[in-house]
Amino acid sequence: MKQRKSLADRVYHSLFSRISNGDYPANQKLPPENTLSQEFGVSRPVLRTALERLREEGLVYSRQGAGNYVRAPQSTPVGFARVETLADIQRCYEFRLNLETKAAGLAAERHNPAVLAEIEQALDLLRDATGSQQHREDADFDFHLAISKASNNQYFEATLRALRDHVNVGMTLHGQTLMRDGAKSLEEVLGEHAAIFAAIRDRRPDDASRLMQAHLEHSRDRLFGGGLIDLSMK
């Protein structure tokens, strides 16, 4: 059962990346299930588990007898202008430092086994990627999103989902920096994620908040090289 779950997660993340990258445009029909099963080397039940997760997250929808389609982006009550400058990326980190530090502390207090398993699954994907000398922005975002869910406050999760594109810009650039720096940096970031997970799992809210803050600050500083932009209003 665990292997099936792991395979379904792998297929989910692959399809998620294709949809996010525009390989499967909005309203386009996905390839038939038997085609995708053969491509990913998994059974139909495994594929359907991955597709069900995509449907739950509103990324695809089914038409009876016609297959699965990519859902067009839906409007959301929380809106943010596009990231266009390095200053915008810095502002996003600034906002996340307030948002996610608090969410991590609450997650340590309030999590249940199901959502803790979601955080751990994302961490496992990050661990596998690190072992392959890679950085996976999708798994990184899922790790942070699962923590926001574990806070049991839907506003944290809704806000982070609305910020997905903005956060991914910073994560992608940060990942490129890590890849240039090599295995040691990748291992260091994995260690930061693992420490956050352990604090949440062990119900240590102060440590979870402190470690999340340090992780986000390190990520920001790696990207900006310690030279932050002066955001003072002139």
Side-chain angles (χ1 to χ4, degrees):
M1 186 67 177
K2 185 175 181 181
Q3 182 184 16
R4 175 175 167 177
K5 179 68 174 175
S6 177
L7 290 171
D9 285 340
R10 176 173 62 81
V11 174
Y12 160 81
H13 285 291
S14 295
L15 291 173
F16 178 93
S17 295
R18 294 181 184 182
I19 293 171
S20 299
N21 294 336
D23 295 337
Y24 296 146
N27 298 316
Q28 176 178 305
K29 183 179 178 179
L30 294 180
E33 288 187 4
N34 61 340
T35 300
L36 290 173
S37 296
Q38 292 174 12
E39 179 181 349
F40 290 116
V42 298
S43 65
R44 294 279 285 275
V46 167
L47 175 67
R48 286 169 179 166
T49 298
L51 289 171
E52 180 60 27
R53 182 175 173 188
L54 291 168
R55 280 192 289 270
E56 289 175 354
E57 296 186 358
L59 293 171
V60 302
Y61 64 96
S62 299
R63 291 180 182 171
Q64 189 170 5
N68 298 288
Y69 290 78
V70 177
R71 186 181 297 279
Q74 302 295 304
S75 60
T76 172
V78 181
F80 299 92
R82 291 187 306 167
V83 172
E84 295 182 342
T85 66
L86 284 174
D88 288 340
I89 296 174
Q90 182 175 313
R91 290 185 180 98
C92 186
Y93 271 108
E94 190 172 75
F95 186 64
R96 290 179 64 199
L97 275 162
N98 288 276
L99 178 79
E100 296 191 59
T101 297
K102 182 64 175 178
L106 292 175
E109 296 175 355
R110 300 174 178 174
H111 70 77
N112 64 14
V115 75
L116 187 67
E118 287 189 38
I119 303 172
E120 188 171 21
Q121 286 165 12
L123 179 61
D124 286 342
L125 290 172
L126 288 170
R127 185 174 288 112
D128 289 345
T130 298
S132 301
Q133 300 294 296
Q134 296 178 341
H135 181 263
R136 288 190 54 171
E137 291 81 15
D138 55 347
D140 199 350
F141 184 83
D142 279 354
F143 178 85
H144 289 266
L145 183 64
I147 290 173
S148 73
K149 291 173 66 175
S151 73
N152 197 27
N153 182 329
Q154 70 271 29
Y155 295 102
F156 285 106
E157 181 184 354
T159 301
L160 196 56
R161 284 187 184 277
L163 283 169
R164 179 191 288 269
D165 291 344
H166 303 70
V167 172
N168 279 344
V169 171
M171 284 184 171
T172 298
L173 293 175
H174 179 232
Q176 292 170 355
T177 300
L178 292 175
M179 294 295 289
R180 286 195 301 269
D181 291 346
K184 182 178 179 181
S185 292
L186 287 166
E187 290 286 351
E188 182 178 289
V189 173
L190 177 64
E192 292 174 6
H193 285 97
I196 293 168
F197 169 74
I200 292 173
R201 179 197 61 204
D202 298 342
R203 298 195 183 278
R204 295 183 277 119
D206 290 343
D207 287 342
S209 293
R210 175 180 56 79
L211 289 165
M212 178 62 82
Q213 178 174 344
H215 167 62
L216 291 172
E217 288 176 344
H218 291 163
S219 173
R220 178 200 62 194
D221 293 346
R222 288 186 199 99
L223 180 55
F224 284 88
L228 298 181
I229 298 168
D230 182 3
L231 297 178
S232 300
M233 298 178 74
K234 306 299 184 183

